[in-house]
Amino acid sequence: MTSIIKLHAISGAMDESPPCYILQVDDFRILLDCGWDENFDQDFMKELRRYIHQIDAVLLSYPDPLHLGALPYLVGKCGLNCSIYATIPVYKMGQMFMYDLYQSRHNMEEFELFTLDDVDAAFDKIIQLKYNQSVPMKGKGYGLTVTPLPAGHMIGGTIWKIVKVGEEDIVYAVDFNHKKERHLNGSELERLQRPSLVITDAFNATYKQTRRRARDEKLMTNILQTLRSNGNVLITVDTAGRVLELAHMLDQLWRNKDSGLLAYSLALLNNVSYNVVEFAKSQIEWMSDKLMRTFEGARNNPFQFKHLQLCHSIAELSRVPSPKVVLASTPDMECGFSRELFLQWSSNPHNSIIITNRTSPGTLARQLIENGGNVPLNLEIRRRVRLEGAELEEYQRKERENKEKSQEKNEDLDMSDESEDEMDSLSSVAKGKHDLLVKAETKVQTGFFKSNKKQYPMFPFFEEKVKFDEYGEIIRPEDYKMVDSNPEAEDNKENVDLKEEEITAADITEVPTKCISVTKTVRVMAQVQYIDFEGRSDGESLQKILEQLHPRRLILVRGTPDSTHAMLNHCRQWNGVRVFAPSRGEVVDATTETYIYQVRLTDALVSALELKKGKEAELAWLDAQIVVRDMSKDAKPVTMDVDDIDKEEEEKGKMEIDQIYTLEPLPLNQVVGHQTAFINELKLSDFRQVLNKNSIPSEFSGGVLWCCNGTIALRRHEAGRVILEGCLSEDYYRVRELLYDQYAIV
Amino acid sequence: MSARKKPDSQVPAEESDLLLIRPLGAGQEVGRSCIMLEFKGKKIMLDCGIHPGLSGMDALPFVDLIEADEIDLLLISHFHLDHCGALPWFLQKTSFKGRCFMTHATKAIYRWLLSDYIKVSNIATEQMLYTEADLESSMDKIETINFHEEKDVFGIKFWAYNAGHVLGAAMFMIEIAGVKILYTGDFSRQEDRHLMAAEIPNVHPDVLITESTYGTHIHEKREERESRFTALVHDIVNRGGRCLIPVFALGRAQELLLILDEYWSQHPELHDIPIYYASSLAKKCMAVYQTYVNAMNDKIRRQIAINNPFVFRHISNLKGIDHFEDIGPCVVMASPGMMQSGLSRELFESWCTDSKNGVIIAGYCVEGTLAKTILSEPEEITTMSGQKLPLKMSVDYISFSAHTDYQQTSEFIRILKPPHVVLVHGEQNEMSRLKAALQREYEDDPSTKMELHNPRNTVAVELYFRGEKTAKVMGTLAMEKPRPGHKLSGILVKRNFNYHMLAACDLSKYTDMTMSQVVQRQSVHYSGALPVLRLLLSQVSGNVEMLEEKKMRVFQSVDITLDNKIVMLEWIATPVNDMYADAVLAAVMQAEILDTTPSFFPIQSKMDRMHFKECLIEMLQEMFGEDSVPKIFKGEKLYVTVDGKKANIDLLNLEVCCEEDEAFQQIVQTAVTKLYQSLAPPRTD
């Protein structure tokens, strides 16, 4: 009956590499996340490829590349072919992340690890779920159910619960955030009671956060100071995850009239910003209670930004008046607009660069966090540029030759023109085959309906309908007022400025281009600051949550060796917990012997039970014996899921018992006495309140609860042992009775 | 300890097998949906609507028949007034303290729909059920549930499926102690422009509570209906007429808007003809429609990536009749849907005399409303001011109402095969026709046993479910394979109708509960001497173990320490040990009041084995005759023979064995044990 449980840490163990694990439950292998680091580590991929065909299901936790970055490659290039599970926002936003990542890379180099088609193919495989929706696995995984639970951190962020009915409940929770944020609820991990196995990261084990208010103030002052000194602020954020929190917060700040920010501009710059915001608007039900309530109450969508302007290219951004605050992807500054802006702005001491996320070691953002600004940096600058002059001619000549050749070929045999096709497809990738790429905002509708303004054939002419009442024409006071306000108040800045011409930069691939690379030493003069907007639980809370969760087994993954060891040592103090901390590539065997079988309870047995109330459950002592009962004697068995499973498992021969036995009460004379069990753990402080309620005076002194003027003492020794001490008196028995009431005694 | 009570004759509600389904509204009627479920001591209310045809307290379902504070859970299927209209009243004005759930979209629209209802009925009736403030504060008590999300409230497990019908409409599957009940609310199995067809649950419910609005009717095909509609609209505007479509502000209106917007974009020649939509409520709620696209069908969800289909290109909002320029052909959608009053009525009255104009009734009409009247094509109609007007404009009826029809219901039931079907939300005749039709369908099918019920309001359907209880035996208890006759004893943990059986030591391993130990130390003054105390203790318990000089143990559980005129008792609390301790205490006190110290102390009484043997032989001779026992024997073995049957007695462990006759063995055994007990000092183990 025992399930084999193994965890293979392919990446993300004892270091800060992205999480990617294979969890094996019996014969069923689940890939938990498949992140890829910023520089697309090939070693890790080599390792993973070896197991690719064994994987039966993939569970994704968050939409960022750290958690699903390798998915397009795995599906497109390695032939991963199995069900992939993710929540709806992870699906939608994940796609945005990958589009943006691809485009950012494509804008600076020949990026061939995966194509946009691979992204689409990978995401088409995703089965979209809601929180708390249980999904039964099929085939080898029969009897397993996976359930996504809210995790905070990013929209749709998931803690996965993998349950083998009655035997194992495995919780995979990484990077979660227990704290409520502006746009997200916190995780409720601690509500899961005693899972048999928890897999969690130790990334933040030794990390302390500043308080939210202090952090927000720091950001605010930084922004204000920079803007006032006429500098620009670059905030590096991700594409569609944490950016929502920042964008929402900043837009709210801008709305505050006293903030003094109205004079400055605020922009969101990434390749898919329009879509990200659109999706965010339609995912209110995944956000915090507070946002939901304001939406239900006032119907204003929190992601209908008033001040944040959406940009899709540097050219668009340049039209946003400076000084400005720009939220740009990617957070690591290895590619994308954040890197371009960094190169542009870092030399000016008035500018400010705010990093919001600790990305992998070695990335530009991480270097800046660790070394601070004002250090010369050797940077490789890669760009995609148009072909010009001789090169262009050369290219065109080749192109012509190719064409001629292919025509010749076509004349010869109408078959293989694959090589050209490949080239063509490469250059046409960004042409608009994928509708989610840069969108030209030709005409932006502000209201929900067609605006009432008509198209006039020649010139605008309004025919006033003259209205009369008994006194003649109705006087409209507005006619005599000074004209000051513009009637269309709903217009948002979001839509301003983007109307006119097509953005040239977007179509860069339509003209022949090449990628160039130069190495340059950059001296960062701008102010560099790291302000934590990661949205992860801090080390102390992590420990508290785990202690509350009290798993039977615990696997610690992802985190520097230091923090992992710190966590490991802490967790080993708890009793009854087996803790593992695998290193990269290691396989942890977390199998434990579990015994379980099912019995039917007779009515006589159930009705004779003396149930005592315990914490959240009722308890009773039971002496009974197993008998065989004819199934048909029982009334129609209610179709329970468990039964169904049992039946099917019977057929499969998986169950070792071929029938369910019945439990009958033991005749009284055969009952052997048993040791009485006191169930519950008493807290002296709680008990003191009980005493107070019964008007028995009590006080604490040196860890001892003294009752009735010091005649009776209550001590609590090691876990679960309470000593009641006192003189013989009536009070003694009263206190004892109250004490007994605190326990379920069976 | 495991003393047991006799099973009560009165079965507690929790153990009862009776499932009650009682409609407090919508039983053989349409409107004020409110159905009570009672099972295993749990009470659930499904929907809490008002009757649109009645006002004030009369419109409420029969909630006076139940105790609001006993209800654990209240589920609202969708935002129509006849399903949620009484909710603010129920949440704010009764003692209800359970939890209330609806889907996100329902909650967002509910707020505005009811606020509109309050405004409208403010004029009509003095005895308002609730105010805007009540509605506002009811919002905090409503929790939201996503489709397919499983919730567990007080052991009631439930989740929602898409029901079609309107945005956010849900069917609820409720599971209590393994019995599953599916409440469909209003549903439609036909996919339309923006809503998906009602999902078919992949689990089979034991009871299906379904609507029966359309009884045995069969709807026209969607494509036909739509093309008939668009052709009609096109025809009316082509002939230079004005087209009036009275609609209810939310729900089906959005579907019509989508159809018209699409039709207009496909027909450029129509671009000059304006479409107006006159409803402030709808405008308010468009944000909700634009947001909760995830509750709609795949088509919409895919489209959202490109543009929001609820941003209409050809439809303008009309704030009121004052803003309307009536200058030529146009299409106007206006509420209310049955033209009782308001904008749709006004427009109708001003247009009805022109035969070029046309009106299209697109929804369900209640008897007595103008919409219902004109369907019979009268010559004249009476205006609001009492004037008579000739009815010349064309009148057409195309139902876009998204309720299930007979075909859909029948298919739905055929797939789910529930053993019990309860019909609600249908007019009496329609309902009985549907019941008869369904009965006929399964008449000749012996493999399907289906019971159909159509309860009237306040009449309960009683169903019995022999809930079978199973327990899981886990941990050390389960290490041994189960076999008949195997005895189990351990702790049974019951949580939300689930039973687990564990060994006491495994408790903390499998649950969050822990075993504790209570140690008691009781002190009492004692001024006497130790030997006296010891004597008396030996009288109570027989065997006194001396642990240290001044510490002894009796009953093998209570430690007694004499220290400086204080006797301290220490023991681990259990009911038995407490009793022992009380006995010891009594002995201590007895010793205290002994005036004179006894001059002699009897030596610890020792079992005299020889004496026991003599007595035994004597007794057996008395019982079975002189010759039954051998006169002389050695060692610790003895036998007794009666009627040729021989019983061997082992004197050391007092075991008797007789292979031939069990009864004889029993008799001898009893005799031996009793004799030993009467001779030996009291045993405490």
Side-chain angles (χ1 to χ4, degrees):
Chain A
M1 305 288 306
T2 307
S3 307
I4 296 159
I5 310 260
K6 281 181 185 168
L7 187 85
H8 183 176
I10 293 186
S11 160
M14 280 292 179
D15 60 8
E16 291 183 39
S17 51
C20 181
Y21 317 99
I22 295 178
L23 175 72
Q24 179 186 348
V25 182
D26 289 333
D27 293 334
F28 196 71
R29 285 181 178 80
I30 303 170
L31 184 68
L32 301 171
D33 284 332
C34 49
W36 215 349
D37 64 347
E38 289 82 351
N39 290 316
F40 308 102
D41 179 13
Q42 283 300 327
D43 293 348
F44 144 68
M45 200 46 72
K46 228 179 271 164
E47 173 87 1
L48 183 57
R49 275 180 98 139
R50 286 168 46 202
Y51 304 98
I52 202 95
H53 295 292
Q54 299 177 351
I55 294 167
D56 300 297
V58 183
L59 304 182
L60 302 175
S61 307
Y62 300 96
D64 58 342
L66 187 72
H67 294 89
L68 54 68
L71 197 64
Y73 183 78
L74 290 178
V75 174
K77 304 280 188 266
C78 310
L80 177 74
N81 190 10
C82 65
S83 321
I84 303 167
Y85 297 91
T87 58
I88 295 173
V90 169
Y91 164 79
K92 290 246 157 111
M93 295 308 194
Q95 210 164 3
M96 291 304 108
F97 265 108
M98 294 320 291
Y99 283 155
D100 188 38
L101 182 66
Y102 175 84
Q103 196 61 39
S104 302
R105 286 277 160 183
H106 181 77
N107 283 347
M108 60 182 233
E109 65 190 20
E110 295 297 348
F111 187 71
E112 277 153 358
L113 277 174
F114 56 85
T115 63
L116 289 175
D117 286 325
D118 295 334
V119 176
D120 285 348
F123 281 84
D124 277 348
K125 282 196 185 315
I126 290 185
I127 298 166
Q128 301 169 47
L129 304 177
K130 314 263 170 62
Y131 284 145
N132 288 320
Q133 177 179 356
S134 306
V135 194
M137 296 289 114
K138 294 189 181 77
K140 280 192 283 181
Y142 197 88
L144 279 178
T145 340
V146 296
T147 315
L149 303 170
H153 186 50
M154 279 182 199
I155 188 162
T158 309
I159 289 169
W160 288 99
K161 193 168 83 171
I162 302 148
V163 177
K164 175 136 193 177
V165 178
E167 287 180 47
E168 292 287 341
D169 42 341
I170 301 161
V171 174
Y172 172 66
V174 288
D175 294 325
F176 57 88
N177 187 10
H178 70 287
K179 288 189 289 273
K180 248 194 189 117
E181 287 186 284
R182 284 182 177 78
H183 86 296
L184 287 178
N185 281 334
S187 72
E188 280 164 358
L189 183 62
E190 63 278 4
R191 285 219 195 146
L192 299 169
Q193 293 290 350
R194 293 236 65 184
S196 59
L197 172 65
V198 168
I199 303 162
T200 191
D201 62 324
F203 186 70
N204 261 358
T206 50
Y207 182 71
K208 279 195 196 73
Q209 279 163 341
T210 44
R211 298 215 352 261
R212 184 172 129 168
R213 172 171 286 192
R215 176 196 73 180
D216 293 355
E217 266 166 22
K218 195 168 149 194
L219 179 73
M220 177 76 183
T221 21
N222 188 320
I223 288 177
L224 261 180
Q225 276 170 1
T226 317
L227 290 175
R228 283 194 179 137
S229 60
N230 234 357
N232 291 323
V233 184
L234 166 68
I235 305 180
T236 67
V237 289
D238 57 12
T239 312
R242 301 296 309 156
V243 65
L244 296 181
E245 175 79 6
L246 269 158
H248 180 249
M249 173 187 161
L250 291 176
D251 197 64
Q252 292 294 328
L253 271 179
W254 249 257
R255 280 183 208 200
N256 180 0
K257 286 197 179 66
D258 306 326
S259 64
L261 288 164
L262 265 176
Y264 309 107
S265 330
L266 176 64
L268 172 65
L269 174 65
N270 67 46
N271 292 301
V272 287
S273 58
Y274 168 81
N275 296 93
V276 167
V277 174
E278 271 309 293
F279 287 148
K281 278 187 205 164
S282 67
Q283 288 167 354
I284 303 296
E285 68 258 48
W286 297 84
M287 296 185 193
S288 70
D289 295 337
K290 203 180 149 213
L291 280 197
M292 251 192 287
R293 221 172 302 133
T294 47
F295 177 69
E296 282 154 4
R299 293 179 335 273
N300 47 9
N301 199 310
F303 287 93
Q304 183 78 39
F305 294 122
K306 280 221 166 70
H307 302 278
L308 186 78
Q309 302 180 47
L310 305 180
C311 304
H312 299 89
S313 66
I314 297 282
E316 258 180 80
L317 184 73
S318 63
R319 255 173 278 143
V320 176
S322 294
K324 56 199 166 196
V325 175
V326 181
L327 296 166
S329 69
T330 59
D332 47 87
M333 295 202 274
E334 284 297 295
C335 64
F337 295 123
S338 61
R339 192 178 177 94
E340 285 182 48
L341 287 179
F342 173 78
L343 294 172
Q344 277 183 27
W345 290 358
S346 60
S347 52
N348 185 342
H350 290 301
N351 290 339
S352 169
I353 292 155
I354 298 173
I355 299 161
T356 59
N357 200 343
R358 285 168 296 159
T359 50
S360 305
T363 55
L364 176 56
R366 186 64 175 258
Q367 281 172 24
L368 288 172
I369 295 175
E370 275 157 10
N371 308 329
N374 225 352
V375 201
L377 285 168
N378 271 324
L379 286 181
E380 195 188 357
I381 300 162
R382 286 171 293 181
R383 255 181 312 163
R384 182 174 285 271
V385 290
R386 296 180 191 214
L387 295 183
E388 272 164 1
E391 273 180 314
L392 186 64
E393 275 164 31
E394 174 76 358
Y395 177 86
Q396 282 165 339
R397 195 179 53 77
K398 266 192 188 159
E399 196 71 338
R400 262 198 305 279
E401 271 173 22
N402 278 344
K403 252 184 203 160
E404 278 161 20
K405 252 189 223 163
S406 67
Q407 269 172 0
E408 276 166 34
K409 255 191 209 162
N410 279 349
E411 281 158 19
D412 294 348
L413 49 149
D414 281 8
M415 305 264 289
S416 60
D417 49 348
E418 276 164 39
S419 57
E420 277 75 27
D421 269 3
E422 249 166 51
M423 279 187 76
D424 283 350
S425 69
L426 247 182
S427 59
S428 69
V429 154
K431 259 191 226 166
K433 191 172 167 192
H434 298 277
D435 40 45
L436 284 171
L437 277 182
V438 187
K439 265 183 66 87
E441 311 269 308
T442 43
K443 191 185 169 196
V444 180
Q445 202 100 43
T446 50
F448 312 127
F449 298 104
K450 188 175 93 171
S451 69
N452 249 340
K453 285 165 212 138
K454 282 185 198 152
Q455 301 286 317
Y456 298 94
M458 283 183 291
F459 55 88
F461 174 71
F462 296 93
E463 195 178 24
E464 279 291 321
K465 213 163 100 183
V466 184
K467 283 183 185 164
F468 293 96
D469 60 9
E470 285 98 289
Y471 304 98
E473 196 178 325
I474 294 166
I475 293 168
R476 285 171 32 204
E478 303 95 274
D479 292 347
Y480 302 95
K481 255 206 236 157
M482 300 286 276
V483 186
D484 49 5
S485 59
N486 57 330
E488 200 62 65
E490 255 182 289
D491 213 337
N492 300 333
K493 265 199 183 168
E494 191 184 303
N495 306 312
V496 177
D497 280 341
L498 313 177
K499 287 181 182 167
E500 266 136 64
E501 81 241 66
E502 266 277 29
I503 298 104
T504 42
D507 303 318
I508 196 158
T509 39
E510 281 186 27
V511 283
T513 56
K514 62 165 185 177
C515 294
I516 52 164
S517 158
V518 277
T519 308
K520 204 166 113 182
T521 305
V522 177
R523 188 156 193 104
V524 184
M525 302 299 289
Q527 200 195 137
V528 177
Q529 203 167 23
Y530 166 61
I531 302 179
D532 170 24
F533 272 92
E534 285 177 345
R536 288 189 176 100
S537 290
D538 59 305
E540 204 177 312
S541 322
L542 208 65
Q543 291 174 356
K544 265 191 202 140
I545 291 168
L546 281 180
E547 193 162 3
Q548 234 175 323
L549 201 60
H550 207 77
R552 269 178 272 156
R553 282 158 291 158
L554 177 68
I555 301 180
L556 290 174
V557 290
R558 193 161 184 265
T560 55
D562 281 351
S563 55
T564 314
H565 284 302
M567 196 73 184
L568 194 65
N569 291 335
H570 183 86
C571 297
R572 287 212 167 125
Q573 292 165 11
W574 308 327
N575 42 7
V577 184
R578 273 166 69 198
V579 194
F580 307 90
S583 45
R584 224 170 139 164
E586 208 176 307
V587 181
V588 171
D589 187 348
T591 312
T592 44
E593 295 284 300
T594 48
Y595 301 95
I596 188 162
Y597 60 83
Q598 208 171 13
V599 287
R600 207 170 275 146
L601 304 176
T602 61
D603 281 355
L605 185 130
V606 175
S607 55
L609 285 177
E610 270 185 85
L611 287 167
K612 302 262 172 52
K613 266 245 165 269
K615 198 163 106 192
E616 289 174 3
E618 289 172 283
L619 303 143
W621 188 270
L622 183 65
D623 288 300
Q625 65 178 345
I626 293 171
V627 294
V628 187
R629 265 214 190 170
D630 191 6
M631 289 273 274
S632 59
K633 254 202 285 182
D634 284 332
K636 169 207 147 264
V638 177
T639 45
M640 280 176 85
D641 280 343
V642 204
D643 273 355
D644 289 350
I645 289 164
D646 286 343
K647 268 174 211 152
E648 290 190 42
E649 278 191 345
E650 264 169 47
E651 286 158 19
K652 290 186 162 193
K654 273 196 173 177
M655 291 282 279
E656 281 162 51
I657 43 164
D658 41 7
Q659 75 187 107
I660 297 179
Y661 291 104
T662 306
L663 212 53
E664 265 188 351
L666 213 56
L668 264 184
N669 56 3
Q670 290 183 36
V671 171
V672 200
H674 64 271
Q675 187 69 43
T676 312
F678 282 62
I679 296 152
N680 193 6
E681 201 164 346
L682 185 82
K683 282 203 181 93
L684 287 182
S685 50
D686 293 346
F687 187 60
R688 193 179 166 197
Q689 284 177 359
V690 176
L691 289 172
N692 281 344
K693 238 181 239 164
N694 288 280
S695 51
I696 295 172
S698 59
E699 61 181 338
F700 268 112
S701 161
V704 182
L705 183 66
W706 294 94
C707 320
C708 310
N709 303 320
T711 52
I712 297 156
L714 271 161
R715 286 189 183 86
R716 198 165 162 248
H717 276 214
E718 73 271 35
R721 195 177 160 102
V722 171
I723 298 174
L724 172 71
E725 192 171 355
C727 297
L728 181 67
S729 64
E730 207 177 310
D731 286 333
Y732 182 89
Y733 290 100
R734 271 173 65 200
V735 172
R736 186 170 85 176
E737 201 176 321
L738 290 173
L739 182 66
Y740 281 2
D741 286 345
Q742 308 307 309
Y743 294 98
I745 303 174
V746 295
Chain B
M1 300 284 292
S2 48
R4 292 225 168 83
K5 272 191 290 182
K6 282 262 156 64
D8 291 335
S9 52
Q10 185 79 43
V11 188
E14 198 171 304
E15 303 304 337
S16 155
D17 297 327
L18 177 64
L19 167 66
L20 282 178
I21 300 170
R22 180 153 74 157
L24 301 178
Q28 303 197 352
E29 66 172 352
V30 177
R32 56 170 159 185
S33 283
C34 184
I35 293 126
M36 282 298 301
L37 287 185
E38 289 178 38
F39 189 50
K40 302 266 171 200
K42 306 284 177 199
K43 294 191 177 175
I44 302 162
M45 186 185 267
L46 301 168
D47 282 340
C48 193
I50 50 161
H51 198 293
L54 302 169
S55 65
M57 298 292 264
D58 298 339
L60 289 177
F62 296 93
V63 281
D64 44 342
L65 295 175
I66 47 145
E67 296 298 328
D69 56 338
E70 287 175 3
I71 295 172
D72 300 293
L73 181 64
L74 172 50
L75 302 175
I76 301 293
S77 64
H78 64 280
F79 61 70
H80 277 154
L81 279 180
D82 59 334
H83 291 263
C84 67
L87 187 62
W89 177 84
F90 193 76
L91 291 179
Q92 298 304 118
K93 305 280 166 97
T94 68
S95 54
F96 174 72
K97 51 181 196 288
R99 293 171 69 180
C100 173
F101 287 90
M102 54 174 79
T103 60
H104 292 92
T106 305
K107 189 179 177 191
I109 295 177
Y110 153 89
R111 166 80 183 75
W112 299 104
L113 195 77
L114 287 204
S115 153
D116 194 62
Y117 168 70
I118 292 170
K119 273 186 218 128
V120 175
S121 57
N122 231 345
I123 319 149
T125 163
E126 283 77 49
Q127 35 164 313
M128 282 298 297
L129 285 172
Y130 44 84
T131 61
E132 179 77 27
D134 290 328
L135 172 61
E136 189 66 58
S137 49
S138 79
M139 289 296 281
D140 294 336
K141 295 193 183 168
I142 301 170
E143 295 168 69
T144 47
I145 178 170
N146 220 329
F147 290 103
H148 302 130
E149 180 182 352
E150 283 167 24
K151 294 257 182 196
D152 193 321
V153 173
F154 314 117
I156 309 165
K157 212 164 114 183
F158 62 96
W159 58 97
Y161 293 102
N162 274 299
H165 191 58
V166 289
L167 179 65
M171 305 193 282
F172 285 104
M173 182 74 87
I174 301 146
E175 185 183 334
I176 308 171
V179 175
K180 293 192 201 71
I181 302 144
L182 178 67
Y183 173 61
T184 63
D186 291 356
F187 75 109
S188 165
R189 289 272 304 128
Q190 195 173 53
E191 179 169 332
D192 59 23
R193 295 281 159 145
H194 70 298
L195 297 171
M196 61 176 91
E199 292 169 282
I200 293 184
N202 48 8
V203 286
H204 295 285
D206 300 294
V207 182
L208 172 70
I209 305 174
T210 178
E211 65 142 321
S212 48
T213 324
Y214 276 81
T216 49
H217 288 264
I218 289 172
H219 294 324
E220 160 183 30
K221 269 207 191 105
R222 184 188 131 189
E223 295 76 22
E224 283 172 24
R225 183 177 71 182
E226 275 183 18
S227 61
R228 202 153 69 87
F229 172 72
T230 47
L232 202 59
V233 173
H234 200 147
D235 189 42
I236 292 169
V237 292
N238 251 4
R239 70 186 185 218
R242 300 159 178 88
C243 178
L244 173 66
I245 311 168
V247 284
F248 184 67
L250 286 169
R252 306 314 303 153
Q254 277 64 35
E255 176 74 8
L256 294 179
L257 290 175
L258 287 172
I259 296 174
L260 286 176
D261 199 52
E262 189 192 282
Y263 189 75
W264 248 242
S265 53
Q266 284 164 359
H267 293 79
E269 73 272 19
L270 291 172
H271 285 189
D272 293 338
I273 295 165
I275 308 175
Y276 296 108
Y277 184 32
S279 163
S280 59
L281 177 63
K283 186 164 193 268
K284 280 182 197 154
C285 291
M286 278 326 275
V288 180
Y289 270 83
Q290 290 173 0
T291 299
Y292 292 114
V293 285
N294 286 325
M296 300 183 196
N297 61 21
D298 289 342
K299 220 170 75 191
I300 297 275
R301 268 184 279 176
R302 270 197 303 274
Q303 209 181 337
I304 189 78
I306 305 155
N307 61 38
N308 197 319
F310 284 97
V311 175
F312 299 115
R313 257 174 242 115
H314 302 283
I315 295 161
S316 336
N317 190 46
L318 195 59
K319 287 204 184 86
I321 196 149
D322 299 342
H323 299 261
F324 179 58
E325 304 168 59
D326 193 2
I327 43 166
C330 61
V331 181
V332 179
M333 291 174 67
S335 59
M338 302 176 205
M339 299 195 286
Q340 301 95 316
S341 58
L343 187 65
S344 59
R345 178 68 169 253
E346 272 179 66
L347 289 172
F348 177 76
E349 284 175 8
S350 62
W351 291 350
C352 71
T353 50
D354 189 343
S355 62
K356 271 194 288 185
N357 298 340
V359 61
I360 302 171
I361 311 285
Y364 186 83
C365 308
V366 171
E367 209 66 55
T369 55
L370 179 65
K372 189 81 183 177
T373 318
I374 60 167
L375 283 182
S376 57
E377 301 190 25
E379 291 282 307
E380 284 181 332
I381 55 117
T382 316
T383 63
M384 299 265 273
S385 52
Q387 206 185 339
K388 298 259 182 186
L389 284 175
L391 176 66
K392 296 229 176 95
M393 79 196 288
S394 64
V395 178
D396 291 274
Y397 176 66
I398 303 174
S399 172
F400 276 90
S401 168
H403 283 277
T404 173
D405 64 355
Y406 180 68
Q407 216 173 351
Q408 296 170 21
T409 314
S410 160
E411 186 207 357
F412 193 66
I413 291 177
R414 193 163 283 281
I415 297 169
L416 289 180
K417 286 222 171 20
H420 300 275
V421 177
V422 180
L423 302 177
V424 294
H425 198 280
E427 195 235 322
Q428 196 178 350
N429 295 331
E430 296 289 353
M431 205 183 254
S432 37
R433 253 178 261 155
L434 177 63
K435 184 180 173 181
L438 286 171
Q439 241 150 11
R440 264 199 307 283
E441 217 177 296
Y442 292 99
E443 220 166 34
D444 308 323
D445 186 359
S447 62
T448 323
K449 254 181 73 188
M450 192 181 293
E451 280 180 52
L452 291 147
H453 313 264
N454 52 341
R456 272 183 293 124
N457 277 341
T458 75
V459 179
V461 176
E462 297 187 2
L463 305 173
Y464 285 89
F465 286 94
R466 270 278 286 114
E468 178 180 81
K469 295 185 184 73
T470 52
K472 285 188 187 119
V473 184
M474 290 163 71
T476 33
L477 266 189
M479 262 156 82
E480 217 172 311
K481 288 250 174 67
R483 57 182 162 74
H486 179 59
K487 282 173 197 159
L488 288 176
S489 66
I491 295 173
L492 191 73
V493 182
K494 180 189 172 197
R495 182 180 283 165
N496 296 342
F497 307 112
N498 292 324
Y499 294 89
H500 290 272
M501 193 165 172
L502 305 165
C505 55
D506 285 344
L507 195 69
S508 59
K509 202 165 149 193
Y510 292 100
T511 69
D512 53 324
M513 290 175 287
T514 42
M515 296 265 287
S516 292
Q517 214 176 32
V518 175
V519 178
Q520 298 195 39
R521 277 188 204 141
Q522 215 170 23
S523 340
V524 61
H525 178 258
Y526 174 68
S527 50
L530 181 65
V532 184
L533 184 62
R534 223 173 99 181
L535 170 70
L536 278 155
L537 285 174
S538 68
Q539 277 175 358
V540 211
S541 81
N543 192 10
V544 179
E545 261 178 88
M546 290 304 289
L547 297 174
E548 285 158 39
E549 195 191 338
K550 286 191 168 180
K551 192 169 178 183
M552 25 197 180
R553 176 174 290 171
V554 291
F555 300 112
Q556 295 178 337
S557 55
V558 185
D559 289 355
I560 298 148
T561 323
L562 179 62
D563 184 21
N564 200 14
K565 301 215 166 184
I566 296 280
V567 171
M568 191 170 75
L569 282 59
E570 182 175 339
W571 73 98
I572 292 164
T574 68
V576 180
N577 288 355
D578 286 358
M579 189 189 71
Y580 286 149
D582 287 350
V584 170
L585 200 61
V588 173
M589 280 147 119
Q590 189 84 45
E592 171 76 18
I593 55 169
L594 271 184
D595 291 335
T596 48
T597 323
S599 48
F600 73 96
F601 298 107
I603 337 142
Q604 183 92 47
S605 62
K606 254 237 156 167
M607 179 75 186
D608 188 345
R609 292 217 76 90
M610 270 324 284
H611 180 63
F612 171 62
K613 278 178 197 166
E614 279 162 24
C615 291
L616 183 64
I617 292 169
E618 210 168 302
M619 183 187 71
L620 290 173
Q621 282 172 340
E622 291 274 310
M623 284 171 78
F624 306 112
E626 294 277 334
D627 306 327
S628 58
V629 202
K631 291 277 177 313
I632 302 158
F633 71 98
K634 278 191 180 160
E636 302 293 337
K637 301 271 189 223
L638 182 66
Y639 59 90
V640 52
T641 355
V642 178
D643 298 340
K645 287 169 197 158
K646 189 170 159 189
N648 290 310
I649 305 166
D650 186 338
L651 291 178
L652 273 181
N653 50 14
L654 302 176
E655 256 172 28
V656 180
C657 105
C658 171
E659 270 143 36
E660 294 109 340
D661 191 344
E662 207 166 309
F664 176 54
Q665 174 190 318
Q666 203 66 47
I667 294 166
V668 178
Q669 174 80 68
T670 318
V672 171
T673 333
K674 289 263 164 72
L675 179 74
Y676 182 83
Q677 279 169 352
S678 57
L679 289 177
R683 282 161 18 113
T684 53
D685 43 343

